């Protein structure tokens, strides 16, 4: 039931934001106008998926249904190059450093619905991005309240956990990192295959042009990125080069957001699960409770984003 509301561009890149109106508004008009509806102050639930999620993921559908049940508008956006119909149009991917994409989505919604409060929810690594966004923009974040779900606040701790205990899960996390560039077989999956081939071709052409200009050090080589087999290797050849860090440990320290929690100026809930196999509770509860706008909640069960389970979700 989602409708493509936004196809925003910045730096020749394409952002996709799918929206779902409350059920009684869905048929009132065609397309995006139905999402605007006749209640300008009705809240918007804005979801940022995790690294392997996108607007076609089951938990996004659960969140949309819950928002509809409560009479809210719902919007979710895709990381660059993620999702079956979201081809890369420039050699740039979203990362927990790159808050400009989230800012553009927020501004797009605010331009359409200036009176509607936006409540931002982010899953897993999407929460790392959301906290950085809230800290960077402070009182100008244009977010009424926010929540992170099973999100790593300290990336160095998270990567060490992957390397020592969860190598199986690390392989599954590598899949979406590669998928944004990989050359899928169009016969097996025509839509995704075509999209991924476009992604790879766009990036490869940009890299070859940089090599011709003698600027290879400024552009990622997609073949080198696809050869990475661990998150550490991926961040060494991709993230560090993309953001100008000489060493991956320095990148993890800078990309972490634990030190940014005091800079958040809107109500923020950090939700964790005690039996999450991927993301451990990395900060003491007191660290959140000492801040004026943040609080932590830990459930005994829930796994990694298992809150969305069941026929209707949590």
């Amino acid at each position: 039931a989602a409708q493509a509301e936004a196809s925003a561009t910045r730096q020749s890149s394409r952002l996709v934001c799918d929206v779902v109106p409350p059920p009684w508004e869905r048929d009132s008009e065609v397309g995006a106008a139905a999402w605007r509806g006749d209640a300008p102050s009705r809240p918007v639930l804005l979801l940022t998926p995790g690294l392997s999620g996108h607007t076609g993921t089951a938990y996004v559908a659960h969140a949309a249904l819950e928002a509809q049940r409560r009479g809210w508008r719902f919007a979710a956006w895709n990381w660059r190059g993620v999702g079956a119909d979201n081809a890369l149009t420039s050699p740039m991917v979203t990362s927990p450093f790159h808050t400009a994409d989230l800012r553009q989505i927020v501004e797009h919604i605010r331009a359409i619905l200036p009176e509607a409060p936006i409540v931002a929810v982010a899953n897993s690594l999407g929460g790392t991005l959301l906290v950085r966004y809230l800290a960077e923009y402070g009182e100008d974040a244009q977010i009424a309240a926010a929540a992170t779900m099973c999100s790593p606040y300290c990336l160095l701790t998270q990567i060490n956990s992957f390397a020592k205990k969860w190598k199986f899960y690390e392989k599954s996390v590598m899949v979406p990192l590669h998928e944004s560039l990989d050359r899928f077989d169009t016969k097996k999956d025509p839509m995704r295959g075509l999209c991924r081939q476009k992604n790879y071709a766009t990036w490869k052409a940009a890299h070859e042009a940089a090599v011709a200009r003698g600027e290879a050090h400024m552009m990622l080589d997609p073949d080198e990125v696809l050869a990475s087999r661990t998150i550490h290797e991926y961040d060494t050849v991709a993230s560090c080069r993309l953001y100008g860090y000489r060493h991956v440990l320095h990148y993890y320290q800078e990309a972490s957001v634990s030190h940014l929690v005091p800079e958040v100026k809107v109500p923020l809930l950090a939700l964790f699960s005690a039996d999450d196999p991927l993301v451990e509770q990395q900060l003491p509860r007191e660290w959140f409770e000492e801040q004026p706008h943040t609080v932590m909640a830990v459930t005994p069960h829930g796994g990694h984003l298992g809150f969305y389970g069941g026929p209707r979700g949590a």
Side-chain angles (χ1 to χ4, degrees):
Q3 300 157 347
E5 167 67 21
S7 182
T9 59
R10 176 173 285 163
Q11 300 173 342
S12 300
S13 298
R14 180 172 181 263
L15 300 179
V16 173
C17 177
D18 288 340
V19 302
V20 180
W24 55 84
E25 292 182 353
R26 188 184 305 171
D27 299 324
S28 61
E29 295 181 49
V30 178
W35 191 58
R36 294 170 173 84
D38 57 359
S41 61
R42 183 171 293 129
V44 178
L45 178 62
L46 174 60
L47 179 65
T48 298
L51 183 62
S52 60
H54 52 80
T55 54
T57 306
Y59 68 66
V60 176
H62 280 308
L65 288 173
E66 182 63 19
Q68 281 195 318
R69 190 179 73 84
R70 296 174 179 271
W72 286 32
R73 296 176 174 90
F74 177 83
W77 67 288
N78 289 327
W79 300 67
R80 298 189 187 203
V82 179
D85 60 346
N86 189 24
L88 283 172
T89 56
S90 72
M92 177 71 179
V93 294
T94 307
S95 84
F97 258 127
H98 197 67
T99 60
D101 286 352
L102 178 55
R103 180 62 172 186
Q104 190 161 353
I105 295 296
V106 171
E107 289 179 343
H108 178 83
I109 295 174
R110 178 60 60 232
I112 296 171
L113 299 165
E115 299 180 37
I118 300 175
V119 177
V121 175
N123 297 334
S124 196
L125 192 65
T128 311
L129 173 66
L130 176 59
V131 173
R132 181 172 297 278
Y133 170 84
L134 295 174
E136 285 185 3
Y137 287 93
E139 296 179 354
D140 189 41
Q142 301 186 44
I143 299 293
T148 62
M149 301 182 67
C150 305
S151 298
Y153 280 66
C154 179
L155 292 186
L156 183 58
T157 301
Q158 184 63 43
I159 297 303
N160 288 338
S161 178
F162 270 129
K164 294 179 180 179
K165 299 188 297 183
W166 302 112
K167 291 186 178 181
F168 171 78
Y169 288 106
E170 184 175 43
K171 292 180 180 180
S172 68
V173 171
M174 289 299 298
V175 171
L177 292 175
H178 284 167
E179 278 189 353
S180 64
L181 287 176
D182 214 347
R183 294 154 287 181
F184 271 74
D185 186 347
T186 55
K187 293 182 179 179
K188 293 182 179 179
D189 192 339
M191 182 177 292
R192 178 180 289 184
L194 180 61
C195 178
R196 300 310 181 219
Q197 285 183 356
K198 289 181 179 178
N199 289 357
Y200 177 84
T202 296
W203 204 309
K204 189 63 177 179
H207 178 261
E208 291 175 349
V211 171
R213 296 192 304 268
E215 300 175 349
H217 62 288
M218 300 176 62
M219 181 62 63
L220 305 184
D221 182 348
D223 293 322
E224 191 176 34
V225 173
L226 290 172
S228 62
R229 290 294 174 262
T230 66
I231 297 176
H232 188 280
E233 290 178 3
Y234 174 88
D235 286 327
T236 298
V237 301
S239 302
C240 285
R241 189 175 300 174
L242 194 62
Y243 293 99
Y245 287 93
R246 294 184 177 181
H247 195 279
V248 69
L249 295 181
H250 187 204
Y251 167 74
Y252 290 143
Q253 290 174 345
E254 292 295 312
S256 297
V257 295
S258 55
H259 65 290
L260 297 178
V261 172
E263 305 301 321
V264 174
K265 305 301 181 184
V266 302
L268 170 66
L269 167 65
L271 180 61
F272 296 94
S273 172
D275 61 356
D276 188 331
L278 296 184
V279 177
E280 300 175 351
Q281 177 188 334
Q282 300 164 340
L283 297 172
R285 186 187 301 270
E286 293 74 21
W287 179 246
F288 288 89
E289 294 182 348
E290 289 174 357
Q291 315 307 326
H293 302 291
T294 60
V295 64
M296 174 195 288
V298 182
T299 64
H301 303 290
H304 188 66
L305 300 175
F307 310 111
Y308 292 99
R312 197 184 67 195

